[in-house]
Amino acid sequence: MTTRHGKVRWRLRRSGKKDVMLPGEPHTAEFDEAYQNAVLGRPAPVVQMPGSASPRSLKAAYRLLKKTDEWLALDDKSSTRYQQTIERILSMPAGGKMMLGDGPVEDLKRSHVKSILSAFRDTPHMERIVLICLRKLIMVAIDEEWIEVDPTYKMTRNPQTDGHKAWPLEIMAKYEARWEVGTRQRTAYALALWLGNRVSDITRLRWDHQTTKHIAADGEIHTVDGFEFVQFKGRKRGKKLFLPMTPMLDRELAPLSRDTETVLVSSRGGAYTDGSLSTRMADWCRDAGIEPGYTMHGLRKALGVKLAEADASTRQLMEILGHKNIAYAELYSREASQTRLAVKAMEKVTKIEEARSSRKFRS
């Protein structure tokens, strides 16, 4: 037969049997083998096409994972990171010409998982992400009933890190001395510090988010101005927050025009992207003579420290910073309590030692 593209293809037709397409040209090894298989009723050999996935393999689990609600709800940054990591895992050698992604999930043992993780031991954060990605693939396999046991059960990889540095008072003073109130550099700083917002919320904060609430407290009705918005978390719906307008933030925003859509406006007159704002903050800190390492998220952390030092409860910390995990909020409280208790304890020791020294000199 001749296709519509002018290509000649050969087909074996037999009465009462299904037609069989024959590859190649007559009298070639490929053609003759396919012809003999068809005549004798032998199944044609299965050819693994590039990019295809073997049944119940890690690669097949990955294909199913990308169709799940969990995956579709990821923001672009997370999905890209997980995709790159999973594809790197699947392409790892597994003996011969086989790659890890070609093997059945049921053959993946705990020892294999440890071996995979060991390849990333020099970068603890990457090792943790690899474990997260493997677990996602395994959960798909369990959900599909390909396996019953999770080989990553109770495995943890939690690298020790101090995370983003909270801005101390001297660094804040340095930044404020360089950038005046009313500049975009100062506005970005003030929004991060006095609202405790993530970068993704700062770039999207609009003037129409500003509202007034009437709140009953201590037997009285209080009128409170602030911003009300839903946290941005990619495709997932974040938590709805109302954050009061403190006098500190009110002074910072007072010179700004209300004719723009977003509170923070770039030099081009539009909103910043999350990535560009983080990059610009690094530039602004450098221009202020501040050493690298102080970030927008560090200002959010600085507010957490201030709240904890003011004896804010764990619940209050969670509501202001938008944390769902109580462990994050408790971290601020513990650090502030440790500092406060240590100072008070050493003040007592100092007072005792000074009294002892004064008695010694008198004698």
Side-chain angles (χ1 to χ4, degrees), residues 276-296:
S276 65
L277 181 56
S278 297
T279 301
R280 297 302 294 145
M281 175 54 79
D283 295 337
W284 298 334
C285 285
R286 185 178 62 250
D287 293 344
I290 296 172
E291 64 187 76
Y294 290 99
T295 64
M296 295 286 288

Side-chain angles (χ1 to χ4, degrees), residues 85-209:
T85 304
I86 291 174
E87 290 177 359
R88 185 176 174 184
I89 294 169
L90 299 182
S91 63
M92 293 176 71
K97 295 182 180 180
M98 291 280 290
M99 293 187 297
L100 194 62
D102 299 324
V105 182
E106 63 181 352
D107 289 349
L108 187 68
K109 307 303 180 188
R110 197 171 182 84
S111 59
H112 299 144
V113 175
K114 291 180 179 179
S115 178
I116 294 168
L117 294 175
S118 67
F120 301 90
R121 191 171 293 153
D122 293 338
T123 49
H125 285 283
M126 189 64 190
E127 186 180 19
R128 176 175 172 272
I129 294 172
V130 169
L131 179 57
I132 291 172
C133 290
L134 283 171
R135 191 162 280 147
K136 288 180 181 294
L137 296 174
I138 289 165
M139 288 301 105
V140 169
I142 290 175
D143 191 54
E144 292 294 317
E145 298 184 351
W146 298 348
I147 58 174
E148 295 182 356
V149 178
D150 176 8
T152 67
Y153 178 65
K154 286 194 174 180
M155 275 193 182
T156 57
R157 292 295 187 277
N158 294 314
Q160 296 300 313
T161 175
D162 293 331
H164 296 270
K165 292 190 289 187
W167 290 42
L169 294 176
E170 59 271 20
I171 296 296
M172 292 184 193
K174 207 170 185 179
Y175 191 93
E176 291 174 5
R178 174 63 180 86
W179 303 112
E180 295 180 354
V181 173
T183 61
R184 63 180 56 88
Q185 294 89 341
R186 184 65 173 262
T187 302
Y189 161 87
L191 292 173
L193 177 61
W194 297 118
L195 289 181
N197 281 349
R198 296 180 175 88
V199 173
S200 55
D201 293 323
I202 292 172
T203 59
R204 292 168 177 79
L205 190 69
R206 304 192 309 268
W207 287 115
D208 60 12
H209 287 149

